[in-house]
């Protein structure tokens, strides 16, 4: 540790209301929303919980769509708010269909709130939000979307899709900080929240506090000291996306997913994409099914023994034995990083005695899939 690394982070002019509001406007633009946004001073689970606790009350009926681990977390919060919870699940190897959602809404006319995850970094799938948003809007329920793993990785059209509460964080495709996060709140959602006696007030989970103490006052005075370093990092992340071009950043993520899937298929040895259809695969991360008879954690350990630098990990929880996760978000949405990940996996599988194809052929297949998205 050298003493001269500190002043850059410590001796900053205070972050004022004007700059805070400007950062919010940049994020709102990235999210394609003209509704209000609230920048909560914590990791994305904070606005996700805040959105549910604000909009849902005893007597609510909520449709919770589960396509990965975050949906399961939402179900617990919804129940603890006193809501009756209807669940629609899709296997983690695919996506949920708008027809399934429409059917659940038809069967349960009382549903007034729908929670959905856009892309799942943990399970590697992505859901068709545009179509789902349409049926939810026709039914009249509020739609909450967890877009933490989709923002900047794939199109996110908050207003056009009718998303009432859209949550993003900076730590995935934005290559930014994890310590602050943003939720957009539609006018419809504010009405519902204001009418909810159970909505958190005078609480760290309160959206209403931000409305009353920040938004309604014209965003001229911050209610408390902001997480300055995280806010500045968030601004730099969104500025960098602006500089590189959102389309280009999204293309890198799409190319990374296409290359990882093609490379894994070409490697063989029993390795295969966990998400079956290409259109259901998230651009943020690719999940792979471990070869039959092998524990995914052993495959990951062997791959990391070959190259400890690659963003490859075993899945968490009950999927740990069967699912390998190749992260390719943020700065890792990069041709060289993806090829290195595949190379390490190939070496790892070979070390475990599995009959993998010639690695050069697999890397060539991956490179071709990358170049089909971003011509070199
Ligand atoms: C990453 C992610 C989050 C944020 O959770 P962390 O625990 O900080 O990783 C929330 N939702 C989704 C869908 C995510 O992929």
């Amino acid at each position: 540790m050298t003493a001269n690394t500190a002043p850059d982070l410590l001796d900053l002019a205070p972050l004022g209301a004007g700059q805070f509001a400007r950062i919010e406007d940049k994020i709102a633009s990235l999210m394609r929303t003209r509704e209000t946004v609230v920048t909560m001073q914590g990791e994305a689970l904070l606005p996700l919980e805040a959105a549910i606790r604000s909009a849902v009350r005893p007597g609510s009926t909520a449709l919770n769509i589960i396509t990965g681990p975050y949906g399961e977390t939402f179900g617990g919060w919804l129940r603890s708010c006193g809501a009756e919870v209807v669940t629609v699940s899709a296997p983690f190897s695919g996506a949920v269909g708008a027809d399934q959602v429409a059917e659940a809404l038809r069967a349960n006319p009382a549903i007034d709130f729908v929670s959905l995850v856009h892309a799942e970094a943990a399970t590697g799938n992505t859901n068709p939000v545009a179509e789902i948003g349409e049926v939810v809007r026709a039914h009249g329920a509020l739609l909450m979307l967890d877009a933490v793993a989709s923002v900047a990785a794939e199109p996110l059209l908050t207003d056009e899709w009718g998303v009432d509460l859209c949550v993003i964080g900076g730590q995935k495709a934005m290559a930014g900080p994890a310590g602050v996060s943003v939720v957009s709140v539609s006018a419809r959602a504010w009405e519902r929240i204001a009418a909810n006696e159970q909505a958190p007030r005078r609480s760290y989970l309160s959206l209403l506090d931000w409305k009353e103490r920040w938004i309604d006052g014209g965003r001229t005075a911050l209610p408390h000291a902001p997480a300055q370093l995280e806010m500045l990092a968030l601004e730099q992340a969104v500025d960098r996306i602006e500089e590189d071009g959102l389309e280009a950043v999204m293309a890198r993520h799409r190319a990374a997913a296409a290359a990882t899937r093609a490379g894994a298929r070409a490697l063989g040895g029993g390795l295969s994409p966990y998400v079956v259809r290409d259109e259901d695969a998230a651009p943020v991360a690719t999940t792979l099914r471990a070869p039959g008879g092998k524990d995914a954690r052993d495959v990951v350990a062997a791959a990391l023994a070959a190259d400890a630098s690659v963003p490859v990990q075993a899945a968490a929880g009950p999927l740990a034995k069967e699912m390998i996760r190749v992260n390719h978000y943020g700065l890792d949405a990069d041709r060289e990083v993806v090829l290195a990940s595949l190379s390490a996996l190939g070496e790892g599988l070979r070390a475990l005695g599995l009959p993998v194809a010639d690695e050069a052929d697999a890397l060539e297949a991956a490179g071709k899939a990358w170049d089909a998205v971003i011509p070199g």
Side-chain angles (χ1 to χ4, degrees), residues 42-210:
E43 191 272 338
L45 272 293
L46 175 63
L48 287 166
E49 184 173 354
I52 287 177
R53 297 202 182 281
S54 296
V56 177
R57 57 178 172 78
S60 298
T61 303
L63 172 62
N64 187 38
I65 300 168
I66 299 184
T67 56
Y70 290 96
E72 286 165 11
T73 302
F74 301 162
W77 289 334
L78 291 164
R79 281 182 200 96
S80 85
C81 290
E84 176 133 346
V85 181
V86 176
T87 303
V88 165
S89 304
F92 298 165
S93 54
V96 74
D99 50 339
Q100 283 173 276
V101 176
E103 198 179 300
L105 292 170
R106 255 196 313 277
N108 302 276
I111 289 169
D112 56 15
F113 183 90
V114 176
S115 46
L116 172 68
V117 176
H118 188 185
E120 301 262 11
T123 39
N125 44 359
T126 187
N127 292 302
V129 182
E131 287 85 0
I132 294 171
E134 210 170 299
V135 302
V136 172
R137 182 45 71 100
H139 182 84
L142 288 186
L143 176 59
M144 181 190 91
L145 186 69
D146 175 348
V148 176
S150 59
V151 64
E154 59 191 293
L156 172 63
L157 306 176
T158 302
D159 290 355
E160 190 177 317
W161 293 346
V163 180
D164 294 288
L165 294 150
C166 187
V167 173
I168 66 112
Q171 70 264 45
K172 297 267 169 67
M174 290 179 69
V180 289
S181 43
V182 179
V183 54
S184 69
V185 186
S186 72
R188 278 159 27 99
W190 280 127
E191 275 174 36
R192 180 86 71 86
I193 294 167
N196 180 9
E197 280 173 21
Q198 302 261 342
R201 287 172 172 84
R202 299 295 174 259
S203 158
Y204 204 61
L205 282 167
S206 178
L207 296 177
L208 281 172
D209 286 1
W210 278 98

Side-chain angles (χ1 to χ4, degrees), residues 122 271-272 274 286-291 295-297 299-300 303 312-315 319-327 345 349:
L271 194 67
S272 61
Y274 199 96
T286 297
T287 47
L288 302 172
R289 197 177 281 280
D295 188 311
R297 290 165 293 195
V299 177
V300 169
V312 174
Q313 64 182 108
L319 295 168
K321 270 180 136 165
E322 61 185 62
M323 186 189 277
I324 300 160
R325 181 171 154 188
V326 182
N327 291 320
L345 279 168
L349 292 172

Side-chain angles (χ1 to χ4, degrees), residues 331-346:
L331 302 185
D332 288 336
D334 173 271
R335 200 176 190 279
E336 295 313 312
V337 173
V338 167
L339 295 184
S341 296
L342 289 163
S343 178
L345 279 168

